[in-house]
Amino acid sequence: MSDARCRSCGAGGLETFLDLGKTPLADATLTAAELTGPEDRFPLEVAFCPTCTLVQILEEVPAERLFVDNYLYLSSFSDAVLAHARRHARDLVDARSLGANSLVVEIASNDGYLLKNFVELGIPVLGIDPSPAPADAAEAAGIPTLREFFGDDLAARLTGEGRQADVIIANNVMAHVPDLNGVVAGMKRLLAPGGVITIENPCVVDLVERCEFDTIYHEHLCYLSCTSVDTLVRRHGLWLNDVEYFPDLHGGTLRWWVGHEPARSASVVRRLEDERLKGFGGGLRYRRFAGDVEHIQAALLDLLRSARREGKRIAAYGAAAKGATLLNATGIGVDLVEFVVDRNPMKQGRFMPGTHQPIRPPEALVDEQPDLVVMLAWNFRDEILEQQRAYRDRGGAFIVPVPVPEVIT
Ligand code: DWN
Ligand code: ZN
C-alpha cells in the first residue's frame, strides 16, 4: 500500500502492483559526450486506485524535465499516425460543420501533424505545446502554437480574451499531465456551448491484456480506462458520451468524446460493463499482469541470449520511449543488442537512455545485416515490416517483443 494520493480523486490507499525498477527518462537520448556523465534514474512503480480505478505511476518527474529540456518526439514520423489524424480532422469538420468562424484547439499539438488538416480547410486553430522542437516544427508549418502547458489558468486567460473552442483535441496527453483535474477543469472552461472534446489515449485494458508493459514510463503518469475517464470528467461537469476503439494504434487506443451535456452512447455503456466484467475495477487483474510481465522479460532474454550464443548479431528498430523501458527494465544492454535504428534524424547519432546503444539511420540494417532486429516500435509493426523489405529479403528477421516474443522473417 502506497502513501501517495491518487492523481484523479485524491484518495489514499493506492495499491502498487508492478515495479519496473529505477529507469532513466525514456526519451532522454544521450550525446556521445554525455555517455560518461551522470544519468538520472527514477523509480518506476505502478499503482491502482481502488476508489476511482485510475492506474498511475508513483514517481513524478517535473514536466519541464520531461517535455522541455530535450524532447525530440515528432508525431509526423509515422504514416499511420498522419493518416489517423487526417481522418479524425475530416470527421470533425463534417460532423461539427466547422468553418471560418470555428476554433479548434489541440492540447499537446506536437509538430502540427493534426491541426494542419484544419488549416488546409481554412478553419482557425490554436496549438498548445511546451516542447520546443515540436513547437518549432509546428510554427514552421504555419500552426499558431502557445508554448505552454495547458491548465485552467491558460483556459481562463484564453476565455478572458473572448476565445472559446468548438473542438478541443487531446491526443496522447491526458496520460502525461500531473494536474489531471486542472486540465479537465480548463477543458470545461474553454469549451464553447455545444462544443466537443476528444481525448485519445492508449487504453489500460489493452496494456494489460497485450502485456504492453514497455509503454510504462515516466512521461505516462497515468493509464486510462473508460471507467477512470468517466469518473474524472464527471467531476468537472462534463459527460463521457461516446468512445471509439483503434486496436492497431499505439497498441490499442480509445478516443473518448466528451461534452457539456449528457448524451451517452451504447458503446460507452458496453465498454464500462466490459471493464467491470474483466476485473479492471479491482486490483487483482493488475497483480496478475505483473506476473505476465516477468514471464515475457524472461522469454525475451532467453531468445536474445541463445541467439548471441549462436554468434548471431542483434539490433533494434525504433528509438522509442517504450524501447527505453523495454531495454532498461529487462536488462538488454549492448552485449545483446548492438545498436538501434530510427528515422528521426534528431535521434540519430545519439544513444539510448541507460543502455547506451548507438542510434543510427534505418539504412544501417541493410549495411550491417544483423541476424535479428528487436522491434521496439512494435506499434508500427506493419509499416516497419513493409519498409524493411530489403533487410528481410536478405534473410533478416524481426522480433516483436509483446504480447509474447515472436520472430517474423
Ligand atoms: O505518448 C507518447 C507516444 C504516443 O509517442 C509519447 N509520450 C512519446 C511517444 O512514445 P514512443 O516514442 O514510444 O512512440 P513511438 O511513436 O512508438 O516511437 C516510434 C519511434 O520510431 C520514433 O522515434 C520514430 C521511429 N520510427 C521510425 O524510425 N520509423 C517510427 C516509424 C513509424 C518508422 O517507420
Ligand atoms: Zn482515484
Side-chain angles (χ1 to χ4, degrees):
M1 199 77 74
S2 158
D3 57 7
R5 313 296 289 183
C6 174
R7 298 180 187 287
S8 173
C9 73
L14 300 186
E15 299 171 9
T16 303
F17 60 86
L18 179 64
D19 182 354
L20 291 174
K22 295 187 80 170
T23 63
L25 298 181
D27 268 315
T29 55
L30 303 166
T31 62
E34 290 165 337
L35 287 178
T36 52
E39 193 173 357
D40 292 332
R41 288 173 174 265
F42 303 88
L44 192 51
E45 294 175 277
V46 198
F48 165 81
C49 172
T51 305
C52 75
T53 79
L54 182 71
V55 172
Q56 52 209 288
I57 61 173
L58 297 179
E59 182 76 15
E60 183 171 322
V61 176
E64 287 72 14
R65 176 82 190 271
L66 290 169
F67 300 109
V68 178
D69 293 352
N70 179 30
Y71 188 72
L72 304 176
Y73 179 79
L74 299 180
S75 302
S76 295
F77 273 104
S78 159
D79 302 336
V81 167
L82 290 172
H84 177 79
R86 192 163 36 253
R87 275 192 304 275
H88 186 26
R90 300 287 174 175
D91 290 350
L92 280 166
V93 171
D94 296 343
R96 317 293 302 180
S97 307
L98 300 177
N101 296 320
S102 309
L103 176 62
V104 176
V105 172
E106 185 179 12
I107 302 168
S109 46
N110 198 268
D111 56 6
Y113 75 102
L114 172 64
L115 289 178
K116 68 181 183 182
N117 294 286
F118 295 99
V119 171
E120 286 165 8
L121 297 171
I123 296 167
V125 301
L126 178 63
I128 299 171
D129 199 307
S131 304
D136 288 345
E139 295 263 342
I143 310 291
T145 303
L146 292 179
R147 296 169 185 241
E148 302 183 48
F149 289 97
F150 179 77
D152 201 23
D153 293 347
L154 176 53
R157 203 170 85 225
L158 292 170
T159 50
E161 296 164 1
R163 299 164 97 175
Q164 278 203 298
D166 301 285
V167 174
I168 298 175
I169 298 170
N171 287 355
N172 298 303
V173 59
M174 288 307 282
H176 301 64
V177 295
D179 181 10
L180 266 180
N181 287 293
V183 165
V184 178
M187 288 173 158
K188 172 70 177 178
R189 183 191 299 271
L190 186 61
L191 186 68
V196 71
I197 301 164
T198 67
I199 297 169
E200 202 171 289
N201 231 94
C203 168
V204 73
V205 172
D206 285 309
L207 188 160
V208 169
E209 292 189 334
R210 302 186 198 179
C211 214
E212 298 163 349
F213 73 94
D214 50 349
T215 61
I216 296 170
Y217 41 87
H218 298 96
E219 290 170 26
H220 292 165
L221 289 167
C222 58
Y223 302 80
L224 302 170
S225 63
C226 257
T227 308
S228 58
V229 167
D230 187 35
T231 307
L232 172 63
V233 299
R234 197 174 291 198
R235 186 177 302 125
H236 298 275
L238 290 167
W239 296 87
L240 170 58
N241 289 328
D242 202 359
V243 61
E244 291 175 86
Y245 178 50
F246 304 95
D248 300 325
L249 186 66
H250 289 304
T253 287
L254 289 179
R255 177 186 293 153
W256 292 284
W257 294 74
V258 173
H260 285 304
E261 307 301 332
R264 178 150 287 186
S265 70
S267 57
V268 170
V269 175
R270 215 172 20 252
R271 196 160 267 275
L272 289 172
E273 180 61 5
D274 182 59
E275 288 177 1
R276 188 185 67 80
L277 292 174
K278 287 182 175 179
F280 286 93
L284 178 62
R285 183 65 189 85
Y286 293 105
R287 285 190 289 280
R288 278 179 30 214
F289 164 64
D292 298 344
V293 173
E294 286 177 21
H295 291 140
I296 284 184
Q297 290 179 308
L300 182 57
L301 280 172
D302 286 349
L303 181 58
L304 299 178
R305 286 170 178 157
S306 58
R308 294 291 291 126
R309 279 195 297 272
E310 294 164 16
K312 291 184 176 173
R313 295 183 64 197
I314 308 171
Y317 190 113
K322 63 173 75 65
T325 292
L326 187 88
L327 297 176
N328 282 281
T330 310
I332 300 173
V334 289
D335 59 320
L336 293 176
V337 169
E338 291 177 43
F339 62 89
V340 176
V341 299
D342 194 291
R343 273 204 313 191
N344 182 341
M346 292 193 291
K347 295 187 179 181
Q348 295 165 6
R350 298 176 73 92
F351 295 79
M352 289 301 286
T355 50
H356 297 176
Q357 284 89 353
I359 302 168
R360 303 171 63 178
E363 291 70 25
L365 294 187
V366 173
D367 296 345
E368 304 267 345
Q369 198 60 37
D371 301 282
L372 292 165
V373 176
V374 181
M375 193 182 289
L376 300 177
W378 45 260
N379 46 316
F380 297 121
R381 171 188 174 134
D382 296 343
E383 192 170 343
I384 292 168
L385 287 175
E386 193 45 46
Q387 182 199 106
Q388 294 305 319
R389 172 63 59 193
Y391 162 72
R392 296 168 63 201
D393 288 347
R394 292 161 52 133
F398 278 90
I399 299 172
V400 176
V402 295
V404 286
E406 174 192 3
V407 178
I408 302 175
T409 55

